[in-house]
């Protein structure tokens, strides 16, 4: 139980808007200094530190910088490795797991232990790792670090526990998968090639066992040498020396021939009968020129040779295109019989893999699909249809279709919003996909019990907006909106793009969305705002445009006497902005010296536009050029559907727009907001002549006291990704030397504009970059007809509060500690057909601060959070009740008042990577976790909290990482994630037949244990590789325990399977004995019958 005193401040003031909050309260311990008539108010704080734990939940999007690919044909799960050491494992929709190597080394190759629930990764630091996939959070069981050789290729035969590892030196080592220890059996490069060969064959680029005989290993060297090594005899069966470098090798399933791809764009086919020369050499894309020579072609990086029962074999390869055609896109070529199909890709091909019906390499393969891993996409091609269509990808792999510039996260949305967005978005889906089911369908996933509607919104550099259904740890595209359709296409060399070098003039900077009223607002980089309304009907509309002149003027020089005698609000009812701040709708103009003046950055379409169902533009607001200076980017935005108002600000000032009447009701410089209550008593306002803007984050150097940042060329520029300085000064000494003060946050809500107010009224809370919080009361007509005709009036500024650092967030609680929601308007479709019996009227929902109290006038609590500290004020007395200095060495990037466990707290994310939560209203620290060791601009720009203990950020340019800070969600995380491994019986090998088994060699009698085990091969050199036991993952003891359980379960399943196999073996033995007895009986009867017959009687 936390108790604090409600203080009725009886101090009087001579200023027109009330008194300024005392800056000295920041040095107190959170208790007000004056309490003439205290009254006890009890607030039950139910949140404790045990309610909080930080952990990652799920990662969405395309793996950034992918490097490798693997597929388990029995479990039907796919693994993708990346350059940063990450591994994404995908199954059916909902089964999506992310693992990270602690070393961060690039993943060179992946190998599934097929149907065993395990995965081997080979990394660029020459380490092999064995991952256990039989738990929801995979963990490393073993690691093997090679010390003297570099790993170049790995091969694990099906149902084998011995992994072949090729190295850069040309040697082949063998690793026991169960113990992860090297065998003493080594194939040295100088033994593999002939002694007479003088040159080194190069690194091992291919390893595979012969489909005909598992005791024969095919080794491909980069230099063009191919050796088939007899593992039993420890000698080479044959050696092939080819004059072109080898990139890959692929067997025919019968094991009598294999195909190689080469660096000159050729494919060679070799038969085991004659290895002196290739049976066939083809240049699939090399045409014969006029002079008789073939075109030079690019290397074929990989080839797969797959047979089919019902048709000709498939030869599928990447690369090999001719050099002469400049600008040709990367391609995958499918040769099927005499037909050659070239599938052009949007991005370079990293890797591809053909999916086949059988896991056995000595059976007819029957390929049914090709998984193509591109640099920025994942494509699966259907091979069963002649036109090779692609499958519709169920995973959100196109988050980065255009670079993400901002994010918003909404948990516990109205339940009807997701279906209606999906129904609108589904009408614009692409067609032409394969009608077959997505082939990567492994794992199991069920809808957890802790689910509620969640929506993620992403803004992009091309001006597009995407709405995603994020419920139950999944991500599915709902609806896409293109904001650029509101504007005319800028001509090359004209407009803002040419003037400022802007690559993406429509890039989205921030969004504001009211799920209840379905009103959506977008802020763009060209100092523009678009307000959208949702409709289920299409409409013809004329886009309404407002142009606002929000710029410091050179003649705006204010003396102290003028400031005192003429405050910006001359009377309480004043609502008229300064004349020079609002610009009527008029064509652009230029000043006499040719500088741009009073024109916007973009041109709004001025003709009637047909808009489809969904979000339809209702209003466009643009800031204007002034005297050749471009408008400053917008730094803050808030809209309230109940009030019908929209507020925005930048480093020059604040504007409030009535979007119902389409008018600007306030447009004022930041300094004018204070009137006589300016806490810094600045004397002049002079404009800056250098171009400056804000790019989403306020960055200050140690010697700066206000916002002064370079205009970034584009939100997509590389400079955003660089990590930023954590040192920052919020000192306000000598502030009168620098009068730029940005509006950093805005919040509409019911509050008390003045201390004397008895009832709450609509207000606008304004936060600035100098740590000042200003309260502006609003007078809004309540009658619906009057609201559409009478003007909204703005009262003089009321409370002024002081904090350290830029103000980031406002929040409101009632005196019982419950969160006060902002009022909203219930959604109504303005394009719906008129119903004469039920006229459309605005239905408003208000949450009064007094609604939970017995009587009016009890007041409410205002939470104000800045970059350095948080304060709780009691309204209307404006007394500071609690103060907490959040950080001294860093600064807060994001702060949100969020609900959790039927209570409320303040969640903060700092530039040094710390995630913190504070209790409300007492501001007790509940959690402080050093989550990210380094924070870069991308994470800082996209990090956002939401209710129910969830948050997200853009972990890479292509991926969204979701995290939770709720202990309850961490405890339930296991049941909410998908299972990667499901017990499936391994398909039986096809019956090879008597003659085929007799003449096809003794492949099934090959015992690797006899050859590679310690008894036969001895121990490998200890200095060659170092065994590292697994740590059980990075999630701590909980995951380690689950890993042990997984191991026990695996051992139990292995015993069951072994018992089952022994039982099957006994049954087969009994059947064979019965069959043998029957055969003997019949043979004896036949002998007796034919014993006395002469030869000519047969």
């Amino acid at each position: 139980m936390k108790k604090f005193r409600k203080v009725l401040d009886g101090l009087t003031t001579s200023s027109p808007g009330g008194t300024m909050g005392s800056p000295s309260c920041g040095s107190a311990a959170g208790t007000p200094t004056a309490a003439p008539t205290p009254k006890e108010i009890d607030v039950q704080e139910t949140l404790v530190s045990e309610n909080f734990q930080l952990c990652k939940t799920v990662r969405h999007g395309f793996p950034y910088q992918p490097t490798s690919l693997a597929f388990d044909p029995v479990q039907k799960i796919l693994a993708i490795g990346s350059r940063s050491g990450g591994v994404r494992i995908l199954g059916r929709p909902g089964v999506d797991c992310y693992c990270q190597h602690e070393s961060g080394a690039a993943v060179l190759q992946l190998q599934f232990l097929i149907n065993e629930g395990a995965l081997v990764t080979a990394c660029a630091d020459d380490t092999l790792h064995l991952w256990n996939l039989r738990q929801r959070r995979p963990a490393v069981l073993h690691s093997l670090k090679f010390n003297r050789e570099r790993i170049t290729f790995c091969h694990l035969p099906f149902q084998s526990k011995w992994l072949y590892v090729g190295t850069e030196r040309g040697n082949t080592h063998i690793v026991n998968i169960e113990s992860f220890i090297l065998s003493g059996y080594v194939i040295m490069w100088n033994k593999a090639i002939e002694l007479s060969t003088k040159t080194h064959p190069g690194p091992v680029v291919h390893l595979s066992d012969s489909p005909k005989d598992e005791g024969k290993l095919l080794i491909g060297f980069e230099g063009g040498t191919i050796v088939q090594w007899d593992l039993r005899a420890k000698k080479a069966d044959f050696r092939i020396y080819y004059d072109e470098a080898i990139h890959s090798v692929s067997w025919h399933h019968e094991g009598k021939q294999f195909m190689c791809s080469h660096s000159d764009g050729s494919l060679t086919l070799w038969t085991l009968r004659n290895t002196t020369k290739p049976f066939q050499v083809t240049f699939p894309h090399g045409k014969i020129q006029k002079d008789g020579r073939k075109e030079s072609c690019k290397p074929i990086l990989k080839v797969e040779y797959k047979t089919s029962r019902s048709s000709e074999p498939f030869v599928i390869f990447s690369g090999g295109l001719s050099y002469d055609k400049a600008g040709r896109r990367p391609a995958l070529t499918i040769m099927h019989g005499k037909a050659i199909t070239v599938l052009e890709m949007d991005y370079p091909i990293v890797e591809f893999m053909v999916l086949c019906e059988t896991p056995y390499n000595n059976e007819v393969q029957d390929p049914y699909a090709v998984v193509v891993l591109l640099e920025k996409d994942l494509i699966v091609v259907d091979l069963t249809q002649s036109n090779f269509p692609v499958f519709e990808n169920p995973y959100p792999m196109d988050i980065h279709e255009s670079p993400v510039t901002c994010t918003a996260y909404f948990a516990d949305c109205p339940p009807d919003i997701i279906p209606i967005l999906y129904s609108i978005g589904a009408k614009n889906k692409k067609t032409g996909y394969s009608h077959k089911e997505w082939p990567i369908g492994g794992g199991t996933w069920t809808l957890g019990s802790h689910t509620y509607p969640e929506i993620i919104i992403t803004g992009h550099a091309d001006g597009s907006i995407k709405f995603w259904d994020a419920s139950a740890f999944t991500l599915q595209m709902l609806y896409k909106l293109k904001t650029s359709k509101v504007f005319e296409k800028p001509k090359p060399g004209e407009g803002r793009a040419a003037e400022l070098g802007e690559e993406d003039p429509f890039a989205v900077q921030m969004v504001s969305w009211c799920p209840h009223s379905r009103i959506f607002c977008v802020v763009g980089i060209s100092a523009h705002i678009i307000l959208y309304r949702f409709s289920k009907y299409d409409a013809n509309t004329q886009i309404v445009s407002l142009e606002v002149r929000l710029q410091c003027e050179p003649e705006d020089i204010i003396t102290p006497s003028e400031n005192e005698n003429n405050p910006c609000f001359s009377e309480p009812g004043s609502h008229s902005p300064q004349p020079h701040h609002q610009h009527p709708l008029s064509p652009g103009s230029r000043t006499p010296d040719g500088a741009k003046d009073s024109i916007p950055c973009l041109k709004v379409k001025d003709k009637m536009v047909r808009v489809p169902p969904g979000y339809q533009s209702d209003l466009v607001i643009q800031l204007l050029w002034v005297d050749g200076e471009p408008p400053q980017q917008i730094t803050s935005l808030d809209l309230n559907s109940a009030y019908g108002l929209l507020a925005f600000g930048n480093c020059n000032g604040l504007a409030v727009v009535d979007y119902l009447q389409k008018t600007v009701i306030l447009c004022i410089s930041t300094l004018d907001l204070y009137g006589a209550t300016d806490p810094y008593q600045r004397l002049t306002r002079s404009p800056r002549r250098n171009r400056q803007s804000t790019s989403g984050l306020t960055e200050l150097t140690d010697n700066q006291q206000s916002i002064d940042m370079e205009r970034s060329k584009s939100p997509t520029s590389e400079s955003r990704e660089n990590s930023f300085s954590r040192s920052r000064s919020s000192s306000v000494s000598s502030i009168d030397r620098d009068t730029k003060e940005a509006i950093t946050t805005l919040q509409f809500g019911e509050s008390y504009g003045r201390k004397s107010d008895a009832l709450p009224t609509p207000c606008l809370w304004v936060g600035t970059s100098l740590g000042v919080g200003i309260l502006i009361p609003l007078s809004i007509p309540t009658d619906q007809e009057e609201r559409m005709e009478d003007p909204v009036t703005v009262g003089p500024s009321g409370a002024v509060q002081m904090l350290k650092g830029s103000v980031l967030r406002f929040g409101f609680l009632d005196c019982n500690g419950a969160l006060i929601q902002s009022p909203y308007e219930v959604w109504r479709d303005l394009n719906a057909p008129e119903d004469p019996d039920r006229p459309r009227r605005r239905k408003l929902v208000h949450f009064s601060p007094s609604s939970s109290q017995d009587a009016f006038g009890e007041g409410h609590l205002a939470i104000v959070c800045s970059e350095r500290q948080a304060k709780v004020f009691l309204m209307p007395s404006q007394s500071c009740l609690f103060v907490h200095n959040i950080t001294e060495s860093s600064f807060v990037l994001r702060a949100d008042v969020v609900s959790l466990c039927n209570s409320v707290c303040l969640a903060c994310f700092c530039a040094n990577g710390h995630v913190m939560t504070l209790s409300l209203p007492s501001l007790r620290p509940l959690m402080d976790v050093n989550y990210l060791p380094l924070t870069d601009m991308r994470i800082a720009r996209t990090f956002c909290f939401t209710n129910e203990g969830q948050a997200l950020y853009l972990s890479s340019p292509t991926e969204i990482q979701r995290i939770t800070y709720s202990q309850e969600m961490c405890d339930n995380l296991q049941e909410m994630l998908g299972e990667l491994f499901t017990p499936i019986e391994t398909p039986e090998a096809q019956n090879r037949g008597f003659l085929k088994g007799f003449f096809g060699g003794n492949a099934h009698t090959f015992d690797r244990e006899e050859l590679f085990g310690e008894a036969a091969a001895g121990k490998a050199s200890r200095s060659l590789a170092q065994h590292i036991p697994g740590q059980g993952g990075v999630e701590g003891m909980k995951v380690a325990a689950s890993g042990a359980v997984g191991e026990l379960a695996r051992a139990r399943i292995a015993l069951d399977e072994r018992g089952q196999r022994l039982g099957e073996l006994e049954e087969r033995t009994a059947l064979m004995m019965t069959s043998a007895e029957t055969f003997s009986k019949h043979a004896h009867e036949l002998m007796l019958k034919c014993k006395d017959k002469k030869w000519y009687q047969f």
Side-chain angles (χ1 to χ4, degrees):
M1 179 81 69
K2 287 286 169 186
K3 297 182 179 180
F4 62 89
R5 296 182 180 277
K6 175 185 175 185
V7 181
L8 302 176
D9 192 345
L11 298 177
T12 57
T13 178
S14 58
S15 64
T19 184
M20 175 187 70
S22 172
S24 63
C25 70
S27 61
T31 305
T33 55
T37 52
K39 175 184 175 183
E40 292 286 341
I41 296 180
D42 297 339
V43 173
Q44 179 94 29
E45 290 190 0
T46 57
L47 289 178
V48 292
S49 57
E50 286 73 23
N51 293 121
F52 296 91
Q53 182 187 344
L54 193 72
C55 68
K56 294 179 180 178
T57 54
V58 68
R59 183 173 290 211
H60 303 297
F62 180 76
Y64 184 55
Q65 294 180 329
T67 53
S68 50
L69 185 69
F71 182 71
D72 186 325
V74 179
Q75 288 289 320
K76 295 196 181 302
I77 56 175
L78 185 80
I80 301 173
S82 71
R83 193 178 299 176
S84 59
V87 178
R88 281 284 288 284
I89 305 171
L90 303 168
R92 67 176 69 248
V95 179
D96 187 341
C97 179
Y98 173 75
C99 315
Q100 175 67 45
H101 292 91
E102 291 185 12
S103 65
V107 181
L108 299 180
Q109 198 175 349
L110 297 162
Q111 285 275 316
F112 275 106
L113 277 66
I114 295 174
N115 205 29
E116 294 290 333
L119 175 71
V120 175
T121 58
C123 295
D125 60 352
D126 305 307
T127 306
L128 298 173
H129 304 274
L130 178 64
W131 292 83
N132 177 18
L133 306 184
R134 294 189 180 224
Q135 56 194 58
R136 293 178 191 250
R137 284 293 180 97
V140 174
L141 296 175
H142 301 284
S143 298
L144 189 66
K145 168 76 173 171
F146 280 73
N147 297 321
R148 295 185 299 187
E149 297 196 54
R150 309 220 64 179
I151 299 171
T152 55
F153 195 87
C154 297
H155 170 63
L156 181 66
F158 179 45
Q159 293 181 323
S160 167
K161 67 175 185 179
W162 298 95
L163 174 73
Y164 302 114
V165 181
T167 68
E168 196 173 44
R169 291 186 180 179
N171 303 325
T172 302
H173 300 276
I174 300 166
V175 178
N176 186 316
I177 288 297
E178 292 178 351
S179 62
F180 238 57
I181 295 174
L182 270 180
S183 165
Y185 194 114
V186 184
I187 305 172
M188 305 299 289
W189 69 270
N190 53 358
K191 298 285 181 65
I193 65 172
E194 288 180 337
L195 295 174
S196 59
T197 307
K198 296 180 181 179
T199 57
H200 190 279
V204 175
V205 295
H206 178 80
L207 292 167
S208 62
D209 50 327
S210 167
K212 191 177 179 181
D213 185 353
E214 293 177 342
K216 306 294 177 75
L217 182 69
L218 195 71
I219 308 171
F221 297 93
E222 188 181 65
T225 302
I226 300 173
V227 176
Q228 180 166 289
W229 184 262
D230 188 327
L231 293 166
R232 301 183 196 84
K234 298 183 181 180
K235 65 182 182 67
D237 283 346
F238 64 81
R239 300 177 177 91
I240 293 172
Y241 299 98
Y242 195 65
D243 54 3
E244 286 294 337
I246 294 172
H247 285 284
S248 70
V249 182
S250 183
W251 279 100
H252 187 281
H253 82 273
E254 292 179 349
K256 297 177 182 178
Q257 57 185 12
F258 57 87
M259 185 174 288
C260 301
S261 70
H262 300 279
S263 57
D264 63 346
S266 65
L267 296 173
T268 55
L269 185 65
W270 302 82
T271 62
L272 302 193
R273 289 182 180 178
N274 180 14
T275 57
T276 56
K277 63 177 182 178
F279 176 76
Q280 187 181 42
V281 180
T282 56
F283 287 82
H285 296 297
K287 296 177 182 177
I288 298 176
Q289 297 174 331
K290 293 179 180 179
D291 57 2
R293 292 186 301 174
K294 287 196 173 177
E295 290 179 316
S296 58
C297 296
K298 298 175 183 177
I300 295 178
L301 301 178
K302 183 177 180 179
V303 64
E304 291 215 32
Y305 186 20
K306 301 296 180 184
T307 52
S308 175
R309 295 178 195 279
S310 58
S311 63
E312 296 285 324
F314 284 86
V315 176
I316 303 171
F317 61 89
S318 61
L321 298 174
S322 59
Y323 278 107
D324 65 335
K325 295 182 180 177
R328 280 192 74 171
R329 295 192 293 178
L332 182 80
T333 305
I334 302 173
M335 298 171 65
H336 188 213
K338 294 183 179 180
I340 298 180
T341 305
V342 179
L343 304 177
E344 290 194 338
M345 304 294 170
D346 293 332
Y347 307 102
I349 297 172
V350 175
E351 171 75 287
F352 75 89
M353 186 162 285
V354 179
L355 309 188
C356 300
E357 294 290 352
T358 176
Y360 297 93
N361 66 345
N362 57 1
E363 296 178 358
V364 179
Q365 298 297 289
D366 278 330
Y368 59 89
V370 187
V371 180
V372 188
L373 179 64
L374 308 177
E375 277 189 3
K376 293 184 179 181
D377 204 358
L378 179 72
I379 292 172
V380 182
V381 180
D382 187 354
L383 291 179
T384 62
Q385 298 182 49
S386 58
N387 59 336
F388 303 127
V390 299
F391 290 89
E392 185 176 6
N393 197 328
Y395 315 120
M397 294 290 181
D398 58 345
I399 293 174
H400 62 285
E401 186 179 17
S402 173
V404 177
T405 52
C406 75
T407 58
Y409 192 6
F410 300 87
D412 215 3
C413 299
D416 61 334
I417 192 71
I418 289 177
I420 197 165
L421 281 173
Y422 181 79
S423 65
I424 297 293
K427 296 175 183 177
N428 301 318
K429 279 198 169 183
K430 294 179 181 178
T431 56
Y433 292 112
S434 171
H435 62 272
K436 293 200 171 183
E437 190 179 349
W438 179 253
I440 305 163
T444 56
W445 179 78
T446 55
L447 200 65
S449 56
H450 301 268
T451 58
Y452 38 81
E454 298 175 71
I455 286 182
I456 293 172
I457 300 175
T458 55
H460 300 265
D462 64 353
S464 61
I465 303 283
K466 292 181 181 178
F467 289 77
W468 306 86
D469 177 8
S471 309
F473 287 167
T474 61
L475 196 70
Q476 185 180 8
M477 175 85 144
L478 290 174
Y479 176 72
K480 183 177 179 180
L481 173 67
K482 294 182 179 179
T483 63
S484 59
K485 289 188 174 180
V486 173
F487 303 102
E488 302 281 1
K489 287 184 179 179
K491 295 178 182 178
E494 285 188 14
R496 177 188 168 87
E499 299 265 350
L500 302 176
E502 189 61 68
E503 299 168 9
D504 303 300
F506 307 115
V508 178
Q509 275 191 301
M510 65 184 81
V511 296
S512 179
W513 185 48
C514 176
H516 301 283
S517 64
R518 301 181 190 173
I519 289 180
F520 184 60
C521 203
V522 179
V523 174
I525 195 172
S526 298
H528 64 273
I529 299 172
I530 311 172
L531 186 136
Y532 290 90
R533 287 180 179 270
F534 188 84
S535 175
K536 294 190 286 185
Y537 304 92
D538 56 1
N540 289 318
T541 182
Q542 177 82 40
I543 301 171
V544 180
S545 176
L546 279 179
E547 296 178 353
V548 179
R549 187 183 179 101
L550 192 59
Q551 196 88 359
C552 286
E553 296 293 333
E555 64 272 12
D556 290 345
I557 300 172
I558 300 175
T559 63
S561 59
E562 288 174 344
N563 194 20
E564 289 170 11
N565 298 331
N566 299 296
C568 70
F569 302 102
S570 56
E571 56 183 315
S574 171
H575 64 269
S576 301
Q578 299 293 334
H580 57 266
H581 284 306
Q582 184 175 359
H583 190 272
L585 292 171
S586 62
S589 61
R590 289 183 180 267
T591 55
D593 58 355
K596 282 190 175 183
D597 186 63
S598 301
I599 58 172
C601 298
L602 301 170
K603 189 175 187 304
V604 178
K605 290 180 179 177
D606 54 4
K607 58 184 178 181
M608 228 31 171
V609 180
R610 183 78 175 173
V611 288
Y615 273 105
Q616 301 167 352
S617 57
D618 187 60
L619 176 66
V620 178
I621 304 166
Q622 289 184 282
L623 298 185
L624 301 173
W625 286 66
V626 177
D627 296 332
E629 286 294 315
Q632 304 301 296
Q633 289 178 19
I634 294 164
T635 57
S636 56
L637 171 77
D638 192 39
L639 83 108
N640 188 282
S641 57
Y643 302 162
L645 299 179
L646 181 152
F648 62 93
N650 63 8
C651 63
N652 287 325
L654 167 72
V656 181
V657 172
D658 182 344
Y659 67 78
L660 296 177
Q661 297 185 24
K662 307 291 190 294
T663 58
V664 180
I665 62 170
L666 178 69
C667 185
I668 193 169
S669 72
T670 316
L671 189 57
D672 283 340
L673 282 172
Y674 295 105
T677 63
D678 183 6
Y680 302 122
Q681 297 301 312
R682 284 158 290 190
L683 301 180
T684 61
R685 284 184 292 126
S686 57
R688 280 189 181 275
R689 284 306 168 196
N690 60 324
R691 291 178 178 175
Q692 53 184 337
S693 74
T694 57
S695 55
L697 276 175
T698 306
E699 290 187 70
L700 299 184
T701 63
D702 290 336
N703 297 322
Q704 287 177 307
Q705 286 82 33
S706 68
I707 293 182
D708 185 11
M709 294 177 296
E710 292 182 37
R711 178 182 294 274
S712 58
K713 288 185 178 179
S714 163
T716 60
S717 62
E718 290 298 323
S719 62
R720 298 177 317 181
E721 310 305 334
N722 300 330
S723 58
F724 52 82
S725 169
R726 298 181 186 176
S727 62
R728 183 170 177 179
S729 171
S730 295
S731 168
V732 290
S733 59
S734 306
I735 197 66
D736 45 333
R737 289 182 299 174
D738 195 342
T739 56
K740 283 287 183 180
E741 182 177 10
I743 307 295
T744 52
T745 186
L746 295 163
Q747 181 73 52
F748 286 105
E750 302 281 311
S751 188
Y752 300 85
R754 286 165 289 273
K755 289 184 180 181
S756 58
D757 287 354
L759 296 174
T761 57
C763 292
L764 174 63
W765 288 75
V766 181
T768 77
S769 58
L770 296 185
V772 180
I774 307 166
L775 183 57
I776 301 175
L778 305 167
S779 177
I780 303 173
T782 54
D783 181 77
Q784 180 162 337
E785 284 74 20
E786 291 178 357
R787 176 64 187 87
M788 299 306 295
E789 296 174 3
D790 295 350
V792 175
T793 57
V794 180
S797 56
V800 177
Q801 312 295 350
M802 296 289 298
L803 288 88
K804 296 178 184 176
S806 298
V807 180
L808 299 178
R809 185 70 58 200
F810 295 109
F812 310 110
L813 307 180
D814 63 24
C815 288
N816 287 335
L819 185 65
I820 301 173
Q821 301 285 352
S822 294
Y824 64 85
E825 176 190 1
V826 177
W827 174 70
R828 56 198 175 103
D829 197 333
L830 298 180
N831 295 336
E834 289 283 352
D835 186 352
D837 299 329
R838 299 179 61 186
R840 285 200 301 263
R841 295 184 64 85
R842 297 183 72 215
K843 183 180 177 183
L844 308 184
V845 178
H846 285 270
F847 301 91
S848 171
S850 306
S851 60
S852 60
Q853 307 296 325
D854 297 331
F856 288 103
E858 288 294 329
H860 72 92
L861 304 175
I863 300 112
V864 188
C865 183
S866 75
E867 292 174 325
R868 305 255 181 206
Q869 65 179 183
K871 289 186 180 183
V872 175
F873 296 95
L874 180 63
M875 303 300 290
S877 67
Q878 304 174 15
S879 305
C880 179
L881 298 176
F882 295 98
V883 180
H884 178 72
N885 291 319
I886 299 171
T887 177
E888 294 294 340
S889 59
S890 184
F891 56 96
V892 179
L893 292 169
R894 179 79 187 212
D896 287 289
V897 177
V898 292
S899 59
L900 177 69
C901 300
N902 297 317
S903 188
V904 66
C905 66
L906 178 65
C908 303
F909 174 60
C910 290
N912 58 8
H914 281 249
V915 177
M916 293 178 280
T917 57
L918 305 173
S919 70
L920 290 175
S922 65
L923 298 177
R924 285 180 301 110
L926 296 172
M927 181 187 74
D928 186 353
V929 178
N930 187 7
Y931 173 63
L932 291 167
L934 180 66
T935 302
D936 61 20
M937 287 294 290
R938 181 187 62 253
I939 296 173
R941 192 180 64 249
T942 57
F943 197 103
C944 52
F945 294 100
T946 189
N947 296 328
E948 309 302 333
Q950 295 205 70
L952 66 79
Y953 60 92
L954 211 65
S955 57
S956 74
T958 61
E959 295 167 288
I960 289 175
Q961 178 68 58
R962 289 164 71 177
I963 63 174
T964 181
Y965 48 94
S966 162
Q967 178 67 56
E968 182 184 8
M969 185 167 283
C970 288
D971 292 341
N972 296 314
L973 191 58
Q974 294 297 322
E975 70 172 71
M976 299 172 80
L977 296 174
E979 287 270 11
L980 291 172
F981 179 79
T982 51
I984 300 173
E985 189 175 344
T986 302
E988 288 190 9
Q990 295 172 3
N991 188 1
R992 305 179 72 221
F994 173 74
L995 291 174
K996 208 166 191 178
F998 186 80
F999 293 109
N1002 53 351
H1004 292 277
T1005 62
F1006 177 60
D1007 188 353
R1008 295 183 177 89
E1009 185 68 39
E1010 289 183 5
L1011 284 175
F1012 307 146
E1014 190 175 322
K1019 291 184 178 180
S1021 171
R1022 289 186 177 181
S1023 61
L1024 188 61
Q1026 175 190 358
H1027 176 261
I1028 305 167
Q1031 298 296 318
V1034 296
E1035 293 297 329
M1037 295 302 293
K1038 194 180 293 185
V1039 177
S1042 66
V1045 171
E1047 279 296 288
L1048 289 172
R1050 181 180 179 186
R1052 187 170 64 251
I1053 292 169
L1055 285 171
D1056 292 344
E1057 289 175 351
R1058 186 178 179 187
Q1060 188 179 349
R1061 289 197 193 104
L1062 286 171
E1064 290 173 356
L1065 184 63
E1066 288 177 5
E1067 290 175 8
R1068 287 177 187 169
T1069 306
L1071 285 170
M1072 288 175 67
M1073 289 179 66
T1074 306
S1075 173
E1077 287 176 4
T1078 306
F1079 179 76
S1080 174
K1081 182 181 176 182
H1082 285 310
H1084 186 68
E1085 290 174 355
L1086 186 64
M1087 185 266 291
L1088 292 174
K1089 186 178 179 181
C1090 303
K1091 187 170 79 169
D1092 298 326
K1093 286 188 177 182
K1094 303 295 182 183
W1095 66 269
Y1096 53 81
Q1097 292 177 308
F1098 286 96

